[in-house]
Amino acid sequence: MHTLLEPFSYGFFRHGILVATLAGALCGLVGVYVVLRGMSYIGHGLSHAIFGGAAASAVINFNFYIGAGLWGLASALMIGRVTRRRIIGSDAAIGVITTASFALGLVLFGFFGVAHKSVDAVHYGSIQGVSVADVWVVAAVTAAIAATVFLRYRALLFVTFDPEVADVSGVNVARTDALLMLMLAVSILVTMKVIGVVLIAAMLVIPPVIARMLTNSFSRMLWLSVVIGAVSGFAGMYLSYHLDVSSGATIVLVGGTLFGIVFAATGPRGLRRAAGLEGHGPALPVEVETARL
Amino acid sequence: MSILVRLERVTCAYDRTPVLVGADLEVGEGEFIGIVGPSGSGKTTMLRALLGAVRPLSGTVRRRPGLTVGYVPQIETVNWTFPVTVLETVLMARTAGRHLPWPSAQERRDAGTALARLGLAGLGRRHIGELSGGQQQRVFIARALLQQPQLLLLDEPTAGVDVRTRHEVLHLLADLNAEGLAILLTTHDLNGMAAHLPKLVCLNTEITGVGPPEAVLTPEVLERTYGAPMDVIEHAGMRVVLDRPGAYGDNVVRLPQRGTA
């Protein structure tokens, strides 16, 4: 029993496991919208773009959260803008913008000689770097995003399911899309220390996919995904201590194991549900001024 | 008859290519209008112009102040695997200006009434993908009706559905129209849908004819609309449009009948 509870006697572990649980829940929440829009790749791309922002912030000695956050948000909005021109698909836009940003981060790290170990920590996540301040930041962001989803639940659902009709039904589709991009960029930013740039995309995808295999209802999928993400974060961080491997990898492996269990339990029914996860891209919001009779 | 919405010399284009040119159209209270024409003739664009979802290049869309418009998209464009129940779909109509995620008791009652009116009572908890074609179409009509519209716009409501579903949809729309709802829809189906409607708009980028089926389902108007000669016969008091044999050349491939090859 002492061995099982031993990690909780360390402050850094308590901080780490709290942040990992919140990060898993947060990724599970935002990931539902990402997956249902068929934009699973954006999590992967945006985390890499934010890596570029993190590198630039480190080089100019600027606040990590503000610098990388602004960089990530700018990348997300740029992806949205390029995609709206419809000549380039969203996958290509994500590929170009985010990999360029990632490459810039690598170049900056190379030029300014940032230690290799810290680059690895950003890539794969580390419990070591989690401070009390990080705990507060992740808790505050999780609370803020949960409140935003609560208050904008209907608009986010309508725009994700049927953007064209949402647009003509008085829902501001452009603003809702921008809000989702903001939530996604901020979620990646605050969770990348624990989960890591490379593996964060998995945590945006695995919990929603498992939840989708379990339910046909959107509201149930949302809270199931949050619970699965939180469980993966908690169990993954705990195992990473005992196995002495990166936290991001174990968190993702726990999620992958849960996927396997649910897949085995639900069989073809669950697979059919998950196979349909290819949401509609957001429609072009068009504002029309019409004269009145 | 009071006018709900009017197009005045409306021209719309995508990427500088005109898809609707100089369209004049009035939709009055209680009207039931079908827009027909070949693929790419501007039917959906006209619908979207009336809806306010596309900005005209020139011309004016005039709407009656306070007009509420319900819109039913093509069911072929719906993502039927999206995790959403019938009730969740219908309640999307009550999104703008609402902040609480769960519906109020009044909203639940209204949604229940709309579902019952369309014969979907008891299906609220079902996933939308589990319904029949006719039920799926009615879910989206229920969603539009929950907005209490004065005008209902439907984009190809019978595209890709079987004969029975087409009859269901047509009768449902006729009932709604009889209750005073103005309806405007696009359709490819000249005989199964358009010929049953009281007023048709024939469209081939420009409007080629407006009027009741007996006035516009004529070989002349149809040739202007579809760019190919078509024949029209009378059957049971209705117009029936036929492709003219050989209209696209004489090299028609005829497959051998079974047992004769």
Side-chain angles (χ1 to χ4, degrees):
Chain A
M1 181 59 87
H2 177 262
T3 309
L4 292 177
L5 295 178
E6 182 204 335
F8 292 97
S9 62
Y10 302 113
F12 79 91
F13 181 81
R14 289 198 299 273
H15 298 153
I17 204 159
L18 188 56
V19 167
T21 308
L22 289 170
L26 185 57
C27 287
L29 180 65
V30 177
V32 167
Y33 297 100
V34 171
V35 165
L36 288 177
R37 285 166 171 245
M39 296 174 73
S40 299
Y41 184 51
I42 200 172
H44 184 77
L46 213 49
S47 59
H48 285 67
I50 287 173
F51 173 76
S57 301
V59 166
I60 61 171
N61 213 12
F62 191 67
N63 181 279
F64 166 81
Y65 287 115
I66 298 173
L70 288 174
W71 192 293
L73 181 61
S75 301
L77 294 176
M78 209 183 301
I79 290 165
R81 202 170 175 80
V82 172
T83 306
R84 274 165 199 280
R85 300 182 87 175
R86 290 203 171 177
I87 296 170
I88 303 169
S90 63
D91 55 344
I94 293 166
V96 171
I97 292 164
T98 60
T99 50
S101 181
F102 181 66
L104 180 65
L106 287 176
V107 168
L108 288 173
F109 271 135
F111 270 140
F112 294 93
V114 179
H116 182 72
K117 191 176 176 184
S118 67
V119 177
D120 272 357
V122 174
H123 276 168
Y124 306 113
S126 169
I127 192 172
Q128 303 289 346
V130 179
S131 64
V132 177
D134 291 326
V135 176
W136 282 109
V137 168
V138 174
V141 166
T142 304
I145 289 181
T148 306
V149 169
F150 182 86
L151 293 172
R152 301 293 298 159
Y153 173 86
R154 295 196 198 197
L156 284 164
L157 170 60
F158 203 174
V159 169
T160 303
F161 177 60
D162 199 344
E164 186 184 21
V165 181
D167 189 35
V168 297
S169 300
V171 179
N172 191 324
V173 173
R175 194 187 300 166
T176 306
D177 281 345
L179 180 69
L180 182 63
M181 285 298 143
L182 175 64
M183 291 196 297
L184 179 61
V186 172
S187 300
I188 290 170
L189 177 68
V190 299
T191 56
M192 65 189 277
K193 271 193 178 178
V194 174
I195 301 175
V197 167
V198 176
L199 298 166
I200 206 163
M203 283 312 290
L204 284 165
V205 174
I206 294 173
V209 169
I210 298 172
R212 179 67 188 96
M213 291 164 78
L214 292 169
T215 184
N216 267 329
S217 160
F218 180 80
S219 56
R220 279 197 293 275
M221 180 180 171
L222 206 58
W223 68 255
L224 271 173
S225 181
V226 169
V227 171
I228 292 162
V231 167
S232 302
F234 183 90
M237 182 56 87
Y238 182 77
L239 288 172
S240 83
Y241 175 86
H242 286 290
L243 299 174
D244 194 22
V245 289
S246 83
S247 52
T250 42
I251 290 170
V252 170
L253 277 178
V254 169
T257 306
L258 287 175
F259 173 84
I261 293 167
V262 172
F263 173 71
T266 55
R269 179 171 52 91
L271 193 62
R272 271 199 303 276
R273 287 173 176 170
L277 290 173
E278 42 186 47
H280 296 163
L284 290 171
V286 182
E287 289 179 15
V288 176
E289 291 175 17
T290 52
R292 295 187 162 189
L293 284 169
Chain B
M1 181 179 65
S2 173
I3 302 300
L4 297 175
V5 60
R6 180 188 292 149
L7 301 182
E8 293 176 356
R9 307 298 301 159
V10 167
T11 295
C12 299
Y14 296 124
D15 296 329
R16 295 181 186 169
T17 306
V19 288
L20 182 67
V21 176
D24 288 304
L25 182 70
E26 286 182 349
V27 183
E29 278 182 343
E31 282 204 286
F32 195 167
I33 303 172
I35 305 173
V36 298
S39 298
S41 61
K43 299 190 294 294
T44 299
T45 303
M46 179 179 270
L47 209 63
R48 289 168 60 81
L50 289 163
L51 198 58
V54 64
R55 189 192 298 273
L57 203 62
S58 64
T60 312
V61 182
R62 295 188 187 275
R63 289 180 171 202
R64 193 164 80 178
L67 176 71
T68 315
V69 184
Y71 176 56
V72 180
Q74 276 191 49
I75 62 166
E76 285 180 325
T77 67
V78 173
N79 178 4
W80 295 108
T81 59
F82 194 96
V84 73
T85 63
V86 169
L87 187 63
E88 285 173 328
T89 305
V90 173
L91 282 168
M92 285 177 194
R94 300 285 171 88
T95 294
R98 268 90 167 176
H99 293 300
L100 287 176
W102 49 80
S104 66
Q106 184 62 48
E107 286 172 335
R108 279 187 175 279
R109 272 197 300 276
D110 291 346
T113 305
L115 288 173
R117 185 182 180 192
L118 298 185
L120 298 169
L123 299 179
R125 288 173 175 270
R126 293 272 289 275
H127 182 249
I128 52 169
E130 295 172 357
L131 306 179
S132 70
Q135 288 172 329
Q136 288 176 336
Q137 184 64 264
R138 280 183 276 156
V139 168
F140 285 86
I141 293 174
R143 183 177 73 176
L145 292 181
L146 201 60
Q147 293 177 311
Q148 297 174 312
Q150 291 128 1
L151 172 62
L152 184 64
L153 304 180
L154 303 99
D155 195 4
E156 297 281 359
T158 54
V161 301
D162 56 31
V163 176
R164 181 179 168 177
T165 304
R166 191 181 70 214
H167 281 225
E168 275 181 34
V169 172
L170 189 56
H171 284 124
L172 170 63
L173 295 177
D175 290 343
L176 292 171
N177 180 247
E179 292 169 22
L181 180 66
I183 297 174
L184 189 140
L185 57 85
T186 63
T187 182
H188 266 99
D189 190 350
L190 287 172
N191 296 320
M193 191 71 174
H196 298 264
L197 305 180
K199 182 177 176 182
L200 296 178
V201 176
C202 295
L203 193 63
N204 189 1
T205 309
E206 297 179 16
I207 291 177
T208 53
V210 179
E214 54 272 22
V216 296
L217 292 184
T218 62
E220 298 74 31
V221 174
L222 289 169
E223 182 158 4
R224 279 206 304 275
T225 306
Y226 289 89
M230 299 168 104
D231 291 324
V232 179
I233 60 169
E234 291 276 334
H235 174 69
M238 291 188 63
R239 296 266 160 150
V240 178
V241 179
L242 305 169
D243 286 343
R244 185 174 296 170
Y248 297 98
D250 294 327
N251 53 344
V252 177
V253 176
R254 292 185 188 277
L255 298 175
Q257 290 183 352
R258 280 184 190 205
T260 61

